[in-house]
Amino acid sequence: MTETPGTQPARRRAPAMDPEQRRAMIVAAALPLVVEYGASVTTAKIARAAGIGEGTIFRVFDDKDALLAACMAEVLNPDDTIAHLAAIPLDQPLADRLAEAADVVRGHLTRIGAVAGALMAGGRLERPGPGPDGKLPDREAGLARPRAALAALFEPDRDALRLSPERLADAFQLMIMSSGRPGAPDPLTTAELVDLFLHGALQSAPR
């Protein structure tokens, strides 16, 4: 295509987003601001971070409370955590698999704590709203999917395990969650957590 001297080529407009894509984009821009400013973050600030006009926010969210609830629902969503757990190579030793898994789950819990803590500090912690199917999130269902991904990490060693992969995954998930609770004194490192889980609290008995 030839250009007339002295003129600039026409800029192509970015493809239009559907409402769900726009919602996801706004939430992604809002999350770090919610962590930084809590519920006091303004929709104007979020709009600037997203590179959109403030009015665009209210085309997909009824109000700021709905946006904050969507942010909480997003950090509770385990999809990314499950994808990272599924990507852990199964040809590694079990201890290495569990160390990677613990870091992944702890990262997920840290993100939840950061957003929930910021909203709670402003007295605006909202329960997540209904999902696309119209149902409210189920806490146990939210734990079940990551637990299944953890069980898959135990599966290659099934014959050497004292309990089933499913039961061990349940115990390991609970241990990760309790070891990372806010304000825990001297929390276990990942290496300590995995070693304690695999080998117990007692040192080897003297021979």
Side-chain angles (χ1 to χ4, degrees), residues 128-148:
D133 58 1
K135 297 180 181 179
L136 290 171
D138 183 311
R139 183 176 184 274
E140 175 54 30
L143 294 174
R145 292 174 58 213
R147 185 162 60 243

Side-chain angles (χ1 to χ4, degrees), residues 1-206:
M1 183 178 70
T2 59
E3 298 176 11
T4 304
T7 64
Q8 296 291 328
R11 296 179 61 184
R12 294 183 178 181
R13 297 182 62 184
M17 294 183 181
D18 64 36
E20 284 307 309
Q21 290 175 319
R22 193 169 294 282
R23 280 175 63 91
M25 180 269 291
I26 292 170
V27 168
L31 278 171
L33 296 175
V34 170
V35 172
E36 183 175 358
Y37 297 102
S40 65
V41 64
T42 65
T43 51
K45 191 180 293 292
I46 293 170
R48 284 195 297 273
I52 58 176
E54 188 175 6
T56 302
I57 291 176
F58 300 108
R59 294 192 190 119
V60 289
F61 293 101
D62 291 339
D63 51 30
K64 191 175 85 168
D65 284 345
L67 172 53
L68 295 178
C71 288
M72 193 67 237
E74 176 60 25
V75 295
L76 289 172
N77 186 334
D79 287 352
D80 284 347
T81 298
I82 292 167
H84 282 95
L85 292 173
I88 295 174
L90 297 180
D91 57 356
Q92 297 185 90
L94 178 58
D96 292 342
R97 277 176 260 151
L98 296 186
E100 283 196 45
D103 284 340
V104 168
V105 175
R106 280 178 151 178
H108 178 58
L109 295 175
T110 297
R111 289 188 293 275
I112 292 174
V115 174
L119 294 178
M120 188 179 296
R124 296 282 287 278
L125 180 61
E126 300 285 346
R127 291 178 60 87
D133 58 1
K135 297 180 181 179
L136 290 171
D138 183 311
R139 183 176 184 274
E140 175 54 30
L143 294 174
R145 292 174 58 213
R147 185 162 60 243
L150 288 171
L153 298 177
F154 286 96
E155 191 62 42
D157 293 270
R158 176 183 281 272
D159 292 343
L161 302 175
R162 297 178 61 188
L163 298 174
S164 70
E166 293 75 21
R167 293 189 68 190
L168 290 171
D170 184 41
F172 190 54
Q173 184 182 50
L174 291 174
M175 191 171 178
I176 296 170
M177 292 170 65
S178 63
S179 71
R181 69 188 188 282
D186 193 19
L188 295 172
T189 66
T190 296
E192 290 171 335
L193 175 72
V194 172
D195 184 67
L196 183 61
F197 182 81
L198 290 178
H199 305 296
L202 295 177
Q203 297 183 18
S204 299

